[in-house]
Amino acid sequence: MCSSDLYVFSVLALAPLALRFLFDADAAQNTLGVLTILYMAGMAGIARRVHASVRTTLELRHQNRAMVDVLTRANAEAEAVNAKLVTEIAEHRRTGGDLEKSLSLLQATLESTNDGIVVIDRAGGIASHNHRFLDMWRIPAHGLANATAGFLLDLMRSRVVDPDEFMARRRALQVCGEGESHDVVDLVDGRVLECFSMPQRIGGEVVGRVYSYRDVTERRRAESDLQLDRKST
């Protein structure tokens, strides 16, 4: 039985008795009637306080339950996010490992060829090169560290017989980013280089240009000697 029900039961039980005492001719009985009414009033106050306390307790219990539900959902969401993050980190590590292997294979391929190769990106930076390229153009091993394409072209320009023609061809390739080219470069030290150039593409988009140089000095000398022999005969 709740406090309000108990109070109602008390009023129903005591009210007739209080009225009887109040309307009795005996003064003592009248006093009992007044005391009974005061008791009923006190019971009403107590009932109100008990009812308010019970209501507050129930509201707090409801709020606590709602808070527990919220915390439970938040914890479940946090665990899901953490699991996703762990998966993404593992995938990133795997992808990073695959990328490192691909770059290592690419660099090994570049170093295994007898051609000198350099890759220039669209921003004018030196994206990659092999040691054969440095040897071919007489560039120190660390001469291109943090260097730009402009710096490299200045070095190459100083080593060719016709620097103006060399630079004109390179500018033409920069203007025509999609084009491929094949030309011959005569160096001041007597060597002859063949140059093949083609755009570098990623996903169909041109992101740079690849230059491949091949030393054809001996072949050109052999061809020249053969022509001289034919003329002499």
Side-chain angles (χ1 to χ4, degrees), residues 187-203:
L187 302 184
V188 293
D189 61 6
R191 289 179 297 128
V192 180
L193 304 180
E194 270 186 344
C195 176
F196 297 88
S197 177
M198 63 184 300
Q200 178 195 14
R201 292 183 174 88
I202 296 180

Side-chain angles (χ1 to χ4, degrees), residues 40-193:
M40 291 170 59
M43 287 290 293
I46 293 173
R48 283 195 299 270
R49 288 196 294 271
V50 171
H51 178 73
S53 178
V54 171
R55 182 176 180 178
T56 301
T57 301
L58 292 176
E59 289 177 350
L60 289 176
R61 183 178 298 175
H62 177 72
Q63 292 175 359
N64 289 339
R65 183 175 299 173
M67 185 177 295
V68 169
D69 292 340
V70 171
L71 291 176
T72 301
R73 288 195 298 269
N75 184 62
E77 292 174 358
E79 289 181 353
V81 171
N82 184 61
K84 183 178 179 181
L85 182 61
V86 170
T87 301
E88 290 179 352
I89 291 174
E91 180 66 19
H92 177 72
R93 288 177 177 174
R94 186 189 66 80
T95 304
D98 292 343
L99 178 60
E100 185 177 354
K101 290 179 181 178
S102 298
L103 292 176
S104 176
L105 178 61
L106 174 61
Q107 191 62 36
T109 302
L110 286 177
E111 294 300 340
S112 65
T113 181
N114 197 42
D115 295 342
I117 297 174
V118 63
V119 182
I120 307 298
D121 60 32
R122 293 292 297 271
I126 302 174
S128 183
H129 66 277
N130 62 1
H131 285 85
R132 177 58 178 159
F133 173 80
L134 300 179
D135 294 340
M136 192 174 288
W137 284 91
R138 304 295 190 262
I139 299 173
H142 299 290
L144 297 184
N146 302 319
T148 63
F151 175 79
L152 174 61
L153 285 176
D154 286 339
L155 286 177
M156 298 171 73
R157 185 175 184 274
S158 66
R159 289 162 171 71
V160 300
V161 173
D162 191 341
D164 293 336
E165 180 183 3
F166 176 81
M167 294 300 294
R169 288 180 178 177
R170 298 307 174 271
R171 292 192 188 98
L173 288 175
Q174 290 178 356
V175 173
C176 182
E178 296 284 346
E180 298 183 5
S181 73
H182 172 220
D183 62 311
V184 177
V185 181
D186 294 311
L187 302 184
V188 293
D189 61 6
R191 289 179 297 128
V192 180
L193 304 180

